[in-house]
Amino acid sequence: MIFALSIYLTKDKYNVFLIANVIGLSTTFLLPAVADIIGMDIIKSAIGISFNIVSYTSLFVFYLAGRYYEGNPPPVSYTYAKISFFKNLYRFSLATNLVFIMYMVAVYGFSGAFINSRFVVYTESRVGTGHIFYIAGTFFNIYALVGLFYNKRKWLHILSCIVFALPYGSKTKMITVFIYLFVYIFMVDENRAKYRRNRYLAIIAVVVPLIVFALFWITTFDLDSVQILQLALGFGNEYQTNFNELILHFHVHFKEGYQHGRILLEEAFYPFIPRALWPGKPLYFGSLFISYKVYPEVTELNLGAPSFGPFGQAYVDFGLFGLLQIVFQQAILGFFMGKYEVQVQQRKDVRAFILLICVAFGGIFGLGGATNPLVMMVMNLIFAKCLIFASRIVLRKYQPQL
């Protein structure tokens, strides 16, 4: 129903709300239904369902408010996308990725860099070298995003991104590449009208699940094909299952009760302090602390902590009052999502595109799942605005306000 409303009210069946949330909504409701059909055990709770309803409703309402607030900004010539600053940034990011690959090969060998990279990243990034992976990862995202504007051979660019993503050992990095591509094609590309057809959307609906399944196949340890299929089907519902398990047995895992904002504060500050500068930084903080409390054995393997999604922190900190945090959080995210969608529709340049990515598609500056999404959005917008400000300084002439 919410998808139908978004199409009706925006008059656009490829609106950003739909594109940004089709995976989330389908994995929250569709994949669990498929999992039920094949007999997987799905844990559900009324509180978990209420958090989802409140979250998506708040996001949608304020997304529409953001579109209305922005109105119709003055159009900007597409030539503004050809900003030399961002072209040089693209080249620098390419060089940074090549240096990172050489570093990984030199330190961990070819196998550690390209074959067993998932194990390497999960172990090494928690013992004082995480800042290397995160800084390099930021330039990877910049390369993948900005390259869509400056590399005429899109297929070659995507292929290079896939190769550059391998040393990070992360399914998210791979999926990010295709998210950038799809959003670019449907929102910015000069030939986007050609792709805004149902057959292309159907292709994506088939290709994306296949990519997700393939990534599980090549990055999951010691599971046979049936177990991987079950895991892939449960992927979208993984954090929902974990979240509902947390709700149903909260006082078993947290005998001390609700944390009263402790998890939120840790997510807001701890990820931005490198372990190299703070050797005593807790190994488990924020959402990682929740994972440790609920699933200590799995978390201690250091091969990826179980996720509790966007609601775990709010519930552990405030219980049902965490709904107020979710409303506030999703309201801000939704408002800026609608605002920057209108800007991209009008301007279609690299700067507006970066701002939209920062609020609707995870951003370019990421610190993993231990960071609050609203905090991460703010940090991404600050980072993006700094890049835009730097481009204006380099150009030394007036640029339209974004």
Side-chain angles (χ1 to χ4, degrees):
M1 183 181 70
I2 200 168
F3 275 171
L5 276 175
S6 73
I7 294 172
Y8 175 76
L9 295 175
T10 64
K11 304 297 187 293
D12 182 6
K13 62 182 178 181
Y14 298 98
N15 63 79
V16 164
F17 179 84
L18 191 154
I19 296 174
N21 292 286
V22 64
I23 295 177
L25 281 170
S26 63
T27 54
T28 299
F29 300 106
L30 179 60
L31 288 185
V34 175
D36 274 331
I37 292 174
I38 68 172
M40 291 180 63
D41 185 19
I42 301 298
I43 302 174
K44 300 175 183 176
S45 73
I47 294 176
I49 294 173
S50 67
F51 267 77
N52 276 289
I53 293 174
V54 169
S55 172
Y56 282 112
T57 301
S58 301
L59 186 70
F60 180 60
V61 169
F62 283 89
Y63 158 74
L64 295 176
R67 285 177 57 95
Y68 177 79
Y69 173 83
E70 187 64 17
N72 294 303
V76 177
S77 172
Y78 187 76
T79 56
Y80 275 119
K82 312 300 182 182
I83 299 176
S84 60
F85 172 84
F86 285 99
K87 193 167 187 176
N88 290 329
L89 181 62
Y90 165 68
R91 292 167 177 165
F92 180 79
S93 299
L94 171 60
T96 302
N97 279 277
L98 293 174
V99 170
F100 178 70
I101 288 178
M102 289 188 288
Y103 163 79
M104 290 291 290
V105 172
V107 177
Y108 306 108
F110 183 85
S111 177
F114 291 99
I115 300 175
N116 299 318
S117 56
R118 183 169 183 256
F119 176 78
V120 169
V121 172
Y122 274 120
T123 54
E124 296 298 321
S125 64
R126 303 298 307 283
V127 294
T129 59
H131 57 287
I132 296 176
F133 292 93
Y134 292 135
I135 292 173
T138 297
F139 282 105
F140 169 84
N141 290 341
I142 292 174
Y143 172 79
L145 190 156
V146 179
L148 292 170
F149 289 84
Y150 297 108
N151 195 325
K152 295 181 179 179
R153 297 180 178 87
K154 297 293 185 290
W155 66 269
L156 184 61
H157 174 65
I158 296 302
L159 182 61
S160 68
C161 288
I162 293 173
V163 173
F164 289 155
L166 290 175
Y168 294 95
S170 169
K171 292 181 286 293
T172 302
K173 277 282 183 276
M174 290 284 190
I175 295 172
T176 295
V177 172
F178 292 97
I179 289 176
Y180 288 171
L181 175 64
F182 295 148
V183 177
Y184 177 86
I185 288 174
F186 288 123
M187 300 293 298
V188 178
D189 191 273
E190 293 175 306
N191 298 315
R192 63 192 175 280
K194 180 175 69 174
Y195 300 108
R196 283 174 162 246
R197 298 175 182 175
N198 290 335
R199 65 172 179 268
Y200 290 106
L201 192 62
I203 291 173
I204 292 174
V206 173
V207 170
V208 171
L210 288 177
I211 292 172
V212 172
F213 179 74
L215 292 175
F216 270 101
W217 188 282
I218 64 177
T219 61
T220 304
F221 300 104
D222 301 324
L223 295 181
D224 60 32
S225 57
V226 175
Q227 291 172 316
I228 293 176
L229 175 60
Q230 291 179 331
L231 184 60
L233 283 174
F235 169 67
N237 197 56
E238 176 201 3
Y239 78 76
Q240 295 287 349
T241 299
N242 293 339
F243 179 55
N244 286 301
E245 163 66 21
L246 171 68
I247 292 171
L248 295 174
H249 302 97
F250 179 79
H251 292 289
V252 174
H253 304 300
F254 290 87
K255 294 181 175 60
E256 66 275 27
Y258 299 114
Q259 301 297 297
H260 307 295
R262 169 194 166 183
I263 307 298
L264 177 60
L265 289 175
E266 289 181 352
E267 288 188 344
F269 297 104
Y270 282 23
F272 302 99
I273 307 175
R275 204 172 296 274
L277 299 180
W278 183 14
K281 185 168 79 169
L283 187 61
Y284 305 115
F285 59 87
S287 295
L288 291 174
F289 178 72
I290 302 176
S291 302
Y292 178 72
K293 293 284 284 188
V294 181
Y295 301 112
E297 295 85 0
V298 177
T299 306
E300 286 177 345
L301 290 176
N302 210 22
L303 295 176
S307 170
F308 295 86
F311 313 131
Q313 169 272 313
Y315 186 80
V316 171
D317 271 338
F318 309 113
L320 282 175
F321 289 102
L323 285 169
L324 298 177
Q325 178 193 325
I326 296 301
V327 170
F328 175 76
Q329 190 169 287
Q330 295 297 83
I332 296 177
L333 291 170
F335 179 83
F336 282 102
M337 182 189 298
K339 172 182 171 68
Y340 289 131
E341 178 188 16
V342 174
Q343 290 192 2
V344 168
Q345 289 174 338
Q346 293 293 323
R347 296 168 178 173
K348 299 179 179 62
D349 75 341
V350 63
R351 298 167 301 164
F353 188 68
I354 288 175
L355 292 173
L356 179 64
I357 291 294
C358 286
V359 300
F361 300 98
I364 53 180
F365 176 72
L367 286 170
T371 314
N372 178 271
L374 180 58
V375 173
M376 207 63 256
M377 185 201 77
V378 172
M379 295 303 297
N380 267 286
L381 286 179
I382 292 174
F383 185 71
K385 288 289 188 178
C386 287
L387 291 179
I388 294 170
F389 181 71
S391 72
R392 291 171 178 167
I393 293 177
V394 171
L395 288 174
R396 294 184 179 280
K397 66 178 181 180
Y398 172 78
Q399 296 293 331
Q401 180 66 37
L402 289 181

